[in-house]
């Protein structure tokens, strides 16, 4: 399921970037097929979950940016909240995904410097990613405190 999700996600994201005629669909299909290594079809791992979820997080941020460009408002903040929660959740699947929210935050800073978005959008994304990534730490920390008899 994760392999199919990855192929569909990368195809959708690449279709958004590629030229519109038939060549864009062909280019997106080839790119999506190249995004997932064949060994993941045999033995999936946490890398596959990261590869499968990443295009959807990028699509959320891209949708927010497109809406923001067209309407000159901050766009639906909930898209950035979902993207932030997705990035925070990816951190717990694979620690190497720490670079995903860093890259998206850098993109939002770039958008802010170009005066295409406000600081609020960056703040909402960073707070959502931080809450999602730190919640399991708080839960595990609370459950890990064990009192030992005779030790004070």
């Amino acid at each position: 399921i994760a392999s199919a999700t990855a192929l569909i996600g990368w195809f959708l994201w690449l279709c958004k970037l590629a030229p519109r005629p038939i060549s864009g669909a062909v280019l997106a299909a080839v790119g999506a097929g190249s995004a997932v290594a064949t060994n993941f079809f045999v033995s999936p791992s946490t890398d596959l979950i990261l590869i499968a979820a990443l295009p959807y997080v990028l699509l959320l941020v891209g949708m927010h940016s497109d809406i923001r460009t067209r309407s000159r408002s901050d766009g639906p903040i909930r898209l950035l909240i979902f993207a932030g929660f997705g990035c925070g959740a990816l951190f717990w699947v694979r620690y190497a995904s720490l670079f995903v929210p860093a890259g998206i935050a850098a993109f939002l800073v770039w958008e802010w410097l170009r005066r295409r978005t406000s600081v609020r959008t960056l703040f909402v994304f960073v707070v959502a990613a931080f809450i999602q990534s730190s919640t399991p730490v708080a839960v595990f920390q609370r459950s890990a405190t064990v009192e030992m008899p005779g030790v004070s």
Side-chain angles (χ1 to χ4, degrees), residues 7 16 28 33-34 51 71-72 80 83-84 106 108 110 117-118 128 136 142:
L7 290 173
K16 184 179 178 205
S34 304
I51 291 169
S71 69
R72 290 291 177 207
L80 286 180
L108 292 174
W110 180 60
T117 190
S118 68
R142 176 162 258 205

Side-chain angles (χ1 to χ4, degrees), residues 77 80-81 84 119-129:
I77 291 294
L80 286 180
I81 293 172
V119 172
R120 183 177 79 141
T121 58
L122 176 63
F123 180 74
V124 165
F125 173 77
V126 169
V127 167

Side-chain angles (χ1 to χ4, degrees), residues 12 17 20 24 47 55 85 87 92-93 98 102 125-126 133:
L12 291 173
L17 299 176
R20 294 286 171 221
D47 289 335
F85 283 160
C87 285
W92 288 103
V93 172
L98 177 66
F125 173 77
V126 169
S133 64

Side-chain angles (χ1 to χ4, degrees), residues 67-75 115-117:
I67 291 170
R68 165 72 180 111
T69 303
R70 283 193 304 255
S71 69
R72 290 291 177 207
S73 69
D74 270 345
R115 306 262 193 268
R116 292 180 62 186
T117 190

Side-chain angles (χ1 to χ4, degrees), residues 54-72:
L54 183 60
Y56 296 103
V57 172
L58 295 175
L59 281 170
L60 285 172
V61 174
M63 285 172 30
H64 178 271
S65 181
D66 290 346
I67 291 170
R68 165 72 180 111
T69 303
R70 283 193 304 255
S71 69
R72 290 291 177 207

Side-chain angles (χ1 to χ4, degrees), residues 3-55:
S3 298
T5 304
L7 290 173
I8 292 168
W10 283 110
F11 178 77
L12 291 173
W13 189 69
L14 290 169
C15 273
K16 184 179 178 205
L17 299 176
R20 294 286 171 221
I22 295 174
S23 64
V26 171
L27 179 64
V30 169
S34 304
V36 181
T38 54
N39 65 333
F40 286 135
F41 294 111
V42 178
S43 60
S45 66
T46 57
D47 289 335
L48 181 60
I49 296 170
L50 174 63
I51 291 169
L54 183 60

